[in-house]
Amino acid sequence: MKEDTAIIFSDGLSEYDFGEGHPFRGNRYDIFKKFFREFFHTEGRYDLLETEPATDQELLKICSKEYIDFTRNFFNTAGSSVRLTGNFSRYHSGDNIPREHHGKLEEAARLIIGQAKQACDLVSGGEYTKVISIGGGLHHAKPNYGEGFCLYNDVAFCGRYLLQEHGLSRILIIDTDAHAGNGTCEYFYDNPEVLFIDLHQDPYTLYPGTGFSHEIGKGMGTGYTINLPMPPYSDLKAYEYVFEKVVEPVVKEFDPQIIIRNGGSDPHYGDILTNLGLKLDGLYMLGKNVSELSSICDGKVVDLVASGYNMDVLPYGWLALIEGLLGYELSVEEPLLDISFPRVDGSQDNAIKMVNQVREILKPYWKCFSGD
Ligand SMILES: [Zn+2]
């Protein structure tokens, strides 16, 4: 019998590796594969797939030929010692500079776009209801500018591809990564066919410094970008409140045909680059809530998972997200960490204030908020 769920996990992903000392190493995929085999006790209830890298033609959906040519040439010839040309800063930020012993980044970035394409074809085409792309969610990449460890934006690719090739007109993107999805936001800022809901740590306190609640889209797309800047140390209760008061009512009113979710383990309190306050039950809740929302669109979800910067948390966090999404019990216990759980008064009150502000700003665009 054919399964309902597929996980795309291509072998070449480990090449998405910025090298020694960089926060984004390719070993995350090896660590997760080992952990996944050991703890995900559902052998045979999903199909495990591999895919082909995206072609230039496919990449042109999300960026220009000049950007693709520069990115391919630079990352393929960088070798072990990187020689920066004057053009680098025109196309990429400093945090995308590969270090010693980096992997074949551009090839792996194409593979991630290939996975996104396959995931969209399989879910939109009805072969599976939920497809998870491990390695996906490179949400900082902009049309012609790579940043935040992201070369090509697979979240944006999903949106564009589903609009253009599958003829969809109501696509929901939920970004639960701790950082704001500034790249994805830019792609769809004026487009009412893509509702972009982004839950991230308050941009006053974290890269990329955008994603404020007053950024709500422009032109025809006004009201279709919803930024939810979570106060530092926001916990399970704060996130649940945001889902209940903003995400659920808006998604019901929008009535999406498919959901694309992205984000890995970096909202966990133990992450070394961020300051949020979720534990595994919080990440599990994110997956579960997305799964429940997907009943609106026959269960259709493309799920993109890659981020996380504490390797003692990452495999646990990814598994919690996946188990929540697929409707399994949470099978792993909270990892024991050197970092203690933050006890900060006021983060829930601040989340309530933020939610009230967002509902007020969006009132003219959504009936569900008009009674406020
Ligand atoms: Zn992130």
Side-chain angles (χ1 to χ4, degrees):
M1 194 186 92
K2 202 172 145 303
E3 299 304 329
D4 196 35
T5 302
I7 299 178
I8 314 178
F9 197 155
S10 301
D11 255 354
L13 285 177
S14 305
E15 294 293 331
Y16 201 84
D17 182 355
F18 285 89
E20 281 173 10
H22 193 284
F24 205 110
R25 302 298 313 271
N27 64 345
R28 61 185 54 230
Y29 300 113
D30 305 321
I31 291 168
F32 182 65
K33 190 167 264 182
K34 195 162 167 282
F35 186 89
F36 185 72
R37 284 198 186 119
E38 196 173 336
F39 291 101
F40 194 53
H41 303 297
T42 50
E43 195 78 43
R45 289 165 73 181
Y46 59 92
D47 290 331
L48 198 56
L49 310 176
E50 293 222 18
T51 197
E52 295 295 314
T55 61
D56 277 13
Q57 201 57 36
E58 286 156 357
L59 289 178
L60 284 169
K61 284 204 179 300
I62 49 165
C63 42
S64 69
K65 188 171 180 314
E66 290 76 11
Y67 176 77
I68 299 166
D69 287 345
F70 176 83
T71 301
R72 180 185 52 235
N73 292 338
F74 176 83
F75 286 96
N76 288 353
T77 58
S80 59
S81 59
V82 177
R83 256 179 277 115
L84 291 182
T85 66
N87 276 339
F88 185 83
S89 57
R90 191 172 141 200
Y91 292 114
H92 289 271
S93 68
D95 49 10
N96 276 6
I97 298 172
R99 302 184 186 174
E100 290 286 316
H101 303 116
H102 62 85
K104 294 173 186 157
L105 277 154
E106 203 269 347
E107 287 178 28
R110 277 176 192 258
L111 199 52
I112 292 164
I113 299 293
Q115 291 192 166
K117 175 174 177 275
Q118 189 183 23
C120 290
D121 285 338
L122 293 173
V123 175
S124 182
E127 287 184 61
Y128 296 91
T129 51
K130 292 187 174 57
V131 174
I132 297 162
S133 168
I134 301 293
L138 303 181
H139 61 161
H140 298 304
K142 295 174 176 173
N144 294 304
Y145 191 73
E147 62 172 85
F149 324 151
C150 303
L151 273 55
Y152 302 128
N153 189 328
D154 58 311
V155 192
F157 181 89
C158 288
R160 287 247 170 111
Y161 184 67
L162 289 167
L163 289 173
Q164 293 169 4
E165 305 297 330
H166 285 262
L168 301 192
S169 56
R170 293 187 318 279
I171 295 166
L172 168 65
I173 299 177
I174 301 185
D175 185 328
T176 65
D177 189 281
H179 303 89
N182 55 336
T184 310
C185 182
E186 202 170 303
Y187 277 95
F188 304 111
Y189 208 55
D190 59 358
N191 190 339
E193 295 183 318
V194 178
L195 171 60
F196 178 53
I197 301 181
D198 193 348
L199 294 88
H200 47 264
Q201 186 178 323
D202 186 340
Y204 276 121
T205 63
L206 190 68
Y207 168 85
T210 58
F212 294 99
S213 49
H214 60 80
E215 296 170 48
I216 59 167
K218 68 177 181 188
M220 296 287 286
T222 309
Y224 291 89
T225 289
I226 300 181
N227 281 296
L228 293 154
M230 304 297 293
Y233 310 112
S234 288
D235 62 4
L236 173 71
K237 283 206 164 61
Y239 271 85
E240 281 180 334
Y241 187 77
V242 167
F243 265 89
E244 187 195 326
K245 297 291 181 187
V246 179
V247 182
E248 285 168 24
V250 165
V251 171
K252 281 184 187 147
E253 190 172 329
F254 182 68
D255 188 24
Q257 296 160 303
I258 194 167
I259 299 175
I260 301 158
R261 188 211 66 95
N262 72 276
S265 66
D266 62 6
H268 190 277
Y269 80 91
D271 195 84
I272 57 173
L273 294 190
T274 65
N275 314 92
L276 286 166
L278 290 184
K279 293 183 178 178
L280 288 192
D281 58 357
L283 294 167
Y284 179 80
M285 175 274 295
L286 293 178
K288 189 160 170 281
N289 280 1
V290 169
S291 179
E292 283 170 8
L293 286 175
S294 74
S295 64
I296 299 169
C297 48
D298 303 322
K300 291 182 176 185
V301 180
V302 169
D303 204 61
L304 312 167
V305 186
S307 71
Y309 304 95
N310 182 338
M311 292 305 119
D312 295 331
V313 170
L314 180 143
Y316 292 84
W318 289 11
L319 192 67
L321 283 163
I322 291 171
E323 289 181 333
L325 179 71
L326 302 185
Y328 299 121
E329 295 289 309
L330 180 59
S331 68
V332 285
E333 305 241 326
E334 194 67 36
L336 291 172
L337 303 175
D338 296 337
I339 306 161
S340 56
F341 185 68
R343 304 226 171 269
V344 178
D345 292 335
S347 72
Q348 281 177 22
D349 293 344
N350 290 336
I352 292 170
K353 274 186 216 152
M354 182 273 286
V355 161
N356 289 340
Q357 192 182 29
V358 167
R359 288 178 62 116
E360 187 61 33
I361 293 169
L362 290 168
K363 209 154 71 171
Y365 310 99
W366 295 96
K367 287 193 198 87
C368 55
F369 301 145
S370 62
D372 283 13

